[in-house]
Amino acid sequence: MRLQVCVLGIILSFGAGMAGAQSSTASAKATAGDAEAMPPELKALIDPDTAEVLRRINGLSPYETPDLRLRQDTVYANTPVDYEPFGAIKPYKEFFLKQIEYTGPGRAIPEPGPDLKSVKIGLIGPIMSTVSVATGGKSHEEVLGIKMLEGAKLAIEEWNARGGYFRHHIPFEMDTRNDNGLWGASGNEIINMAYKNEDWAILGTIDGANSHIAIRVALKAEIVMMNTGDTDPTFIETNIPWVMRCIGDDRQMGYLLMDYVLRKMKYSRIGIIRASNRYGRFGVREVNDAARRMQHPVIIEMAYRLGSADFSLQLERMKEANLDAVIHWGDAAEGALVLNQMRKMGMNQPFFASDRSVSPEFVKTAGANAEGVICGYPWNPDHKDPKLDQFRAAFRKRFNAEPDTYAAHAYDGMNMLIWAIQVAGLNRAKIRDVLAYRTKPWPGVTHDIPFGASLDDLGEVFLAKFENGAWHYHSREDMNIPHGYIPARDRVNRATGEIDPMNPPPQK
Amino acid sequence: MRIVAIIGLAGALSGLLAAAEPVKLPYVYTKWKQFTVADGLPNDHIFAVKADGPRVWIGTEDGLAMLDKRTGKIKSWGEKDGLPWKVITAIDVDKKTGDVWLGLFGGGLSRFSGGRFDHWHQLNSGLVNDVVYGVAVQDEYIWAATTAGASRFNTVTGEWAIFTEKNSPMEEIWNYSVAVGNGKVYLGVWGSGMLEYDLATGRWKDYLDPDGEMEIDLYRDDGIVHVIVTGASPANDVVWISTYFGACRYDGRHWRGYYNQDSGLASDFINNVKGRSADEAWFATDKGASAVTDFKTNTWVTYTRDTKGKGGQAVVMRDRDVLETVGMPVGIPHNFVINYDIDGNDVWVATAKGLGWGIGEGYYPGLKERPKTVAKTMPKGDVR
């Protein structure tokens, strides 16, 4: 299933014979020399496709762009035709179907000299408790951010145990920053990481507002930002060539949840209760849109202030709406309290929630009410994979705790970054390139991670159902959830076509 | 029979007239100068450029520079000279005082006056955030577009005003540009379209993508093309807008959208825009410098640099038709264009690898009858 989605969604091949064979000789020389000097442990990381990417990005002048074909998706985010916006109308322009290039001079920047003592990689996230207007008052995501930090730290420690940065035999070092301080703290911290501390790539963040601030800075500073914990769909909908994400987003999870709610269970009167923050506001957008486009618009949507304990104002109105199902989008703590209060009020509707409710905190607070709750989830933690078993064992040994979804995705994201740094060398643009032009899904512990044209994770997402005292993870196939039709049509080229300013058509 | 003959004759005559009709073409900049670290710039990555009489202020990733057009000499300032932070993303000049205002990328706001740098940041002033993307002088006020809202500093009273979602229609607070003109202040806001502040009434107005969707533009010319706005530049009675998803023009009543697929725009990824008039605007794309030179006829000129040597070319297009291709021994410094300023007949182009000076000898606005240049694109690999 995952492979099918990947093959359907992504067309990627090298542009052999294309116009830009400009630097093949220089590249070949650079690569040949590079390959000879490579330590064997580094050679082992470079598969033939990556070697070809390296051949085409090495040795470029500041004025050249690599001769590599860009990813093209036939349909944005595998969106079924009946969930498409304005589905009856062909839009004038469709975005995110073709990969954004980096056309700047960065590939020609030489590597730093031998004085380098470590290879720094930034990590930005909600690590320390603060009060921030940006995230809606007192910070609340540290429990997620610390797990993200631990997952990333484990990856760095493992690479250092293998010899660190293979080319110079120096360690990787994590440059950890808090993102939830004063207004826009994440922006200032990216500046620190990109310019003052000279990090080579950055991993983070979780909060949607902080993420957007951070990636705007990363774009100007030209440094890769790998996101492992922000499921806001708009995070990737920004056309930034430096931004990537290795976790399924709320669009993908929302589609699956709504396929279950609307197509399988045939619920038609749906109510939403959500956190009054960016996570809640943007998380339910696809739920709302899908419901409306399937002719069952959400009956009522109520928001609550973060940290609330009494939801009677919202739930009394929702009770009057005679709903078939209730969907919650917010943190686990509030989710459990909402559920408990619903049941106390005699509201026995099926309760659906976003992935943050899949947590021990939710189960502890909800108690028996947790039974039957269904959440979207970006991966299947029960899948059988020796890599996952090994990661879990190592995490338990290192932190004396179970890794959660934030730890697992951060582990994957940091491994992707370190792999890219190892094979590309210390050049931010090339670090970006080897990830952006990767031809095969990344073999992560969470799942195989296939990038779409937007460099977003288009892998399969799941539903987590709390049954018999535990969370169980179900694929679409497991639960026999119908899927909307996804037409495999070439949307990139169905428009009037683009003109290359360097190679325009003949003049009239 | 006779009628058919007359119609045929008239048709042939009109065809002859059409063929004889002279070609109206835009001005093409063919004289360029390039400036890099080899010429004295502190860094080649240029984020901002501002012409100020004989001086041209240049904001780089590693310091401030000033080019004296008369002598060609470049002077620069770094942190050791008192510049509060090395990365300069925006510049404006107060014409009354001559003060140079600098937006610092992660360093706040600075005033360069009388050889001294003054510094405002989020811990000593009302500047809402230190990551400043745009700065604009409006009478005695200094506007700063920051990553967490806009700030306005009254240089006479020392008062600050902050504009965020609390007191303006800023759905998102991630400001990207600020410009003054037409009695208004225009903010380009990432995720919140363009905001217009009317100086006479003190009222805000927002311009959002009418279809409300990130992944599509439903109809052409129905409004702003996308909410991720990177620049808004007023000129005469219109405002030109750039986004990472195409460009557009608004005259107060009508919108006109532009994409690579329907215009001479080199790319839909546009870092900034500078309007020269209601008919001409320069768009800073990642694949060249694209200027719409005659709005009415959708005539464009796109300048690119060759991958080898300093040469370049200009491609003149109307709608999607290439009218003319002009090679030149020196082109723009790099195809990743970040910022512009218009300086009389000249144009300054800030790129990721140097500063370009387009010398507008004989510049004329709009279109003019002139011989079409025979295509003479320099061969690839030609090193001049």
Side-chain angles (χ1 to χ4, degrees):
Chain A
M1 175 67 181
R2 180 189 308 284
L3 189 63
Q4 284 171 347
V5 170
C6 174
V7 171
L8 177 71
I10 303 169
I11 305 164
L12 173 67
S13 61
F14 294 110
M18 290 177 67
Q22 61 267 40
S23 60
S24 53
T25 311
S27 302
K29 281 179 187 168
T31 310
D34 203 30
E36 283 165 19
M38 266 184 202
E41 61 269 33
L42 177 55
K43 277 186 190 167
L45 298 177
I46 302 173
D47 59 279
D49 287 355
T50 303
E52 184 60 20
V53 172
L54 290 170
R55 191 184 73 77
R56 292 173 187 236
I57 62 175
N58 283 333
L60 294 180
S61 82
Y63 309 101
E64 294 173 306
T65 50
D67 178 20
L68 289 163
R69 189 165 293 169
L70 303 169
R71 291 169 190 276
Q72 294 187 8
D73 289 349
T74 52
V75 175
Y76 175 56
N78 294 322
T79 304
V81 71
D82 46 9
Y83 286 175
E84 285 182 351
F86 305 99
I89 300 166
K90 178 188 166 190
Y92 181 71
K93 180 80 178 177
E94 293 179 74
F95 305 112
F96 314 126
L97 295 174
K98 191 174 176 185
Q99 184 180 339
I100 288 286
E101 292 174 81
Y102 165 64
T103 59
R107 296 178 186 90
I109 298 172
E111 287 212 18
D115 296 341
L116 207 65
K117 297 286 183 280
S118 65
V119 175
K120 292 174 187 168
I121 303 174
L123 183 137
I124 182 163
I127 309 298
M128 295 166 65
S129 178
T130 57
V131 175
S132 164
V133 180
T135 50
K138 187 182 181 306
S139 61
H140 56 103
E141 290 170 331
E142 295 80 50
V143 62
L144 317 179
I146 287 167
K147 287 292 178 191
M148 181 175 84
L149 172 72
E150 290 173 348
K153 190 182 276 184
L154 180 63
I156 285 193
E157 289 172 355
E158 286 178 353
W159 280 99
N160 282 340
R162 289 170 63 183
Y165 180 57
F166 293 149
R167 289 168 199 256
H168 294 172
H169 303 292
I170 53 176
F172 291 100
E173 181 186 343
M174 195 151 74
D175 176 20
T176 308
R177 310 272 171 163
N178 208 37
D179 73 353
N180 53 5
L182 284 169
W183 258 127
S186 54
N188 292 328
E189 293 297 3
I190 301 291
I191 298 280
N192 289 332
M193 289 191 272
Y195 289 110
K196 294 179 180 170
N197 213 36
E198 297 181 345
D199 295 349
W200 293 100
I202 299 168
L203 186 145
T205 68
I206 292 175
D207 172 75
N210 284 329
S211 297
H212 271 280
I213 288 172
I215 61 177
R216 279 163 23 103
V217 177
L219 167 63
K220 289 272 183 196
E222 299 191 347
I223 186 167
V224 167
M225 272 214 76
M226 173 68 74
N227 190 281
T228 67
D230 177 6
T231 52
D232 175 356
T234 68
F235 169 82
I236 211 76
E237 294 173 338
T238 46
N239 261 359
I240 299 178
W242 296 89
V243 168
M244 312 167 186
R245 176 161 62 187
C246 68
I247 184 171
D249 70 354
D250 287 340
R251 178 187 288 275
Q252 300 299 322
M253 288 187 274
Y255 285 167
L256 182 60
L257 203 58
M258 293 313 284
D259 282 347
Y260 180 80
V261 168
L262 297 170
R263 296 186 207 269
K264 182 174 171 68
M265 302 308 293
K266 311 281 187 197
Y267 296 138
S268 59
R269 296 185 65 81
I270 298 151
I272 291 175
I273 180 165
R274 65 165 177 86
S276 180
N277 62 1
R278 191 179 172 85
Y279 176 68
R281 183 162 53 107
F282 277 82
V284 299
R285 267 174 70 154
E286 299 310 323
V287 168
N288 254 319
D289 287 347
R292 190 180 68 254
R293 287 165 191 159
M294 292 291 284
Q295 312 300 319
H296 298 299
V298 167
I299 303 291
I300 185 169
E301 177 179 338
M302 299 298 294
Y304 58 80
R305 279 181 181 277
L306 229 58
S308 297
D310 177 11
F311 305 93
S312 53
L313 184 149
Q314 293 85 359
L315 292 177
E316 280 169 12
R317 284 155 180 78
M318 294 179 80
K319 188 176 183 182
E320 287 171 9
N322 190 28
L323 301 170
D324 291 341
V326 170
I327 298 176
H328 171 258
W329 221 275
D331 287 351
E334 283 93 346
L337 293 173
V338 166
L339 174 62
N340 288 347
Q341 204 167 334
M342 267 179 63
R343 298 298 186 240
K344 202 172 176 183
M345 290 168 65
M347 293 176 70
N348 294 315
Q349 291 92 342
F351 187 82
F352 300 91
S354 60
D355 63 311
R356 287 192 182 180
S357 285
V358 183
S359 78
E361 186 184 14
F362 178 88
V363 172
K364 187 180 171 191
T365 307
N369 289 333
E371 190 66 20
V373 168
I374 294 178
C375 304
Y377 211 61
W379 64 302
N380 177 4
D382 288 344
H383 78 283
K384 300 297 172 205
D385 183 345
K387 295 194 300 293
L388 179 58
D389 295 340
Q390 206 174 338
F391 162 67
R392 280 208 175 103
F395 193 93
R396 281 189 208 112
K397 188 178 173 190
R398 174 67 177 83
F399 299 107
N400 196 29
E402 283 298 314
D404 70 356
T405 184
Y406 292 90
H409 282 92
Y411 181 78
D412 277 346
M414 186 56 84
N415 273 312
M416 291 170 82
L417 289 180
I418 295 178
W419 170 82
I421 292 169
Q422 294 277 26
V423 302
L426 296 178
N427 176 292
R428 288 174 179 171
K430 293 181 189 175
I431 292 165
R432 175 212 170 262
D433 284 343
V434 293
L435 289 166
Y437 293 110
R438 199 182 153 81
T439 56
K440 295 182 180 68
W442 175 264
V445 298
T446 54
H447 58 298
D448 286 351
I449 299 162
F451 276 160
S454 300
L455 305 184
D456 204 5
D457 177 2
L458 286 185
E460 192 176 6
V461 295
F462 295 81
L463 291 183
K465 187 172 185 181
F466 196 78
E467 298 166 300
N468 302 318
W471 290 104
H472 297 278
Y473 302 89
H474 304 281
S475 69
R476 180 185 291 277
E477 282 172 331
D478 294 342
M479 297 184 89
N480 201 21
I481 302 170
H483 201 303
Y485 173 58
I486 302 176
R489 57 183 178 235
D490 180 359
R491 295 180 175 221
V492 178
N493 296 310
R494 77 173 180 170
T496 44
E498 296 173 351
I499 291 177
D500 177 359
M502 297 285 283
N503 296 289
Q507 70 186 55
K508 286 194 169 180
Chain B
M1 180 69 179
R2 182 177 296 170
I3 295 169
V4 171
I6 291 169
I7 291 171
L9 187 65
L13 193 62
S14 70
L16 280 173
L17 285 172
E21 192 178 343
V23 184
K24 286 191 169 182
L25 291 165
Y27 180 82
V28 175
Y29 286 85
T30 54
K31 287 189 179 175
W32 289 90
K33 285 189 178 179
Q34 300 178 0
F35 300 91
T36 65
V37 288
D39 304 290
L41 285 178
N43 189 279
D44 281 345
H45 201 151
I46 318 292
F47 283 125
V49 59
K50 182 72 186 175
D52 173 28
R55 295 170 294 276
V56 179
W57 297 97
I58 305 151
T60 83
E61 201 168 31
D62 193 15
L64 173 69
M66 189 271 286
L67 166 68
D68 189 324
K69 287 193 289 186
R70 297 162 298 193
T71 63
K73 288 188 177 168
I74 293 174
K75 191 176 177 187
S76 64
W77 296 263
E79 288 174 281
K80 64 180 177 8
D81 306 304
L83 181 68
W85 171 235
K86 65 179 181 177
V87 187
I88 299 165
T89 33
I91 305 175
D92 202 7
V93 177
D94 188 332
K95 287 190 172 60
K96 286 182 185 168
T97 63
D99 293 348
V100 180
W101 288 89
L102 306 172
L104 306 176
F105 198 45
L109 187 66
S110 182
R111 175 175 61 194
F112 187 45
S113 178
R116 192 186 80 190
F117 291 96
D118 298 317
H119 189 201
W120 291 268
H121 53 80
Q122 63 188 77
L123 299 181
N124 76 351
S125 70
L127 188 69
V128 67
N129 189 271
D130 286 346
V131 180
V132 179
Y133 287 93
V135 63
V137 178
Q138 176 244 317
D139 301 324
E140 71 268 33
Y141 297 103
I142 309 301
W143 289 77
T146 89
T147 204
S151 287
R152 188 184 64 189
F153 176 47
N154 186 326
T155 55
V156 176
T157 65
E159 288 175 308
W160 287 84
I162 292 175
F163 301 99
T164 63
E165 86 284 5
K166 308 281 186 196
N167 56 353
S168 69
M170 212 177 273
E171 190 174 320
E172 307 294 358
I173 52 166
W174 311 313
N175 285 238
Y176 219 62
S177 72
V178 59
V180 180
N182 303 338
K184 289 163 184 163
V185 175
Y186 296 93
L187 297 177
V189 187
W190 178 290
S192 201
M194 182 182 74
L195 265 63
E196 178 187 282
Y197 179 78
D198 191 314
L199 293 171
T201 64
R203 287 186 183 150
W204 288 94
K205 189 174 179 185
D206 59 343
Y207 296 92
L208 298 167
D209 182 4
D211 60 54
E213 300 291 340
M214 298 291 277
E215 66 265 44
I216 60 165
D217 187 20
L218 188 62
Y219 296 116
R220 190 180 183 185
D221 305 337
D222 63 346
I224 205 162
V225 292
H226 205 275
V227 290
I228 297 188
V229 173
T230 57
S233 179
N236 299 125
D237 294 328
V238 308
V239 58
W240 298 90
I241 297 159
S242 59
T243 80
Y244 288 135
F245 301 81
C248 51
R249 173 190 187 270
Y250 180 55
D251 67 6
R253 185 175 177 84
H254 303 101
W255 288 88
R256 179 68 174 176
Y258 299 103
Y259 293 105
N260 172 262
Q261 68 186 38
D262 55 35
S263 72
L265 199 55
S267 163
D268 295 334
F269 184 96
I270 312 171
N271 286 307
N272 218 321
V273 60
K274 182 70 184 178
R276 185 177 221 160
S277 68
D279 283 325
E280 182 176 337
W282 288 65
F283 295 92
T285 88
D286 63 340
K287 292 180 183 170
S290 286
V292 56
T293 52
D294 186 58
F295 164 72
K296 295 174 200 70
T297 58
N298 196 26
T299 303
W300 291 70
V301 184
T302 283
Y303 301 86
T304 54
R305 176 189 171 132
D306 297 341
T307 54
K308 307 286 183 192
K310 287 188 169 183
Q313 69 175 14
V315 178
V316 180
M317 291 180 67
R318 183 159 301 145
D319 298 327
R320 291 175 51 77
D321 296 331
V322 175
L323 303 181
E324 189 179 35
T325 306
V326 184
M328 51 195 77
V330 178
I332 60 171
H334 197 276
N335 292 336
F336 195 94
V337 182
I338 299 173
N339 196 232
Y340 294 112
D341 200 18
I342 304 293
D343 183 14
N345 287 345
D346 296 352
V347 61
W348 294 92
V349 184
T351 80
K353 190 75 180 166
L355 177 72
W357 180 7
I359 299 167
E361 281 177 10
Y363 166 81
Y364 57 87
L367 305 176
K368 191 172 151 182
E369 292 175 10
R370 65 166 173 83
K372 189 185 278 190
T373 308
V374 177
K376 51 179 180 183
T377 307
M378 297 296 176
K380 297 289 176 195
D382 179 33
V383 179
R384 282 165 280 265

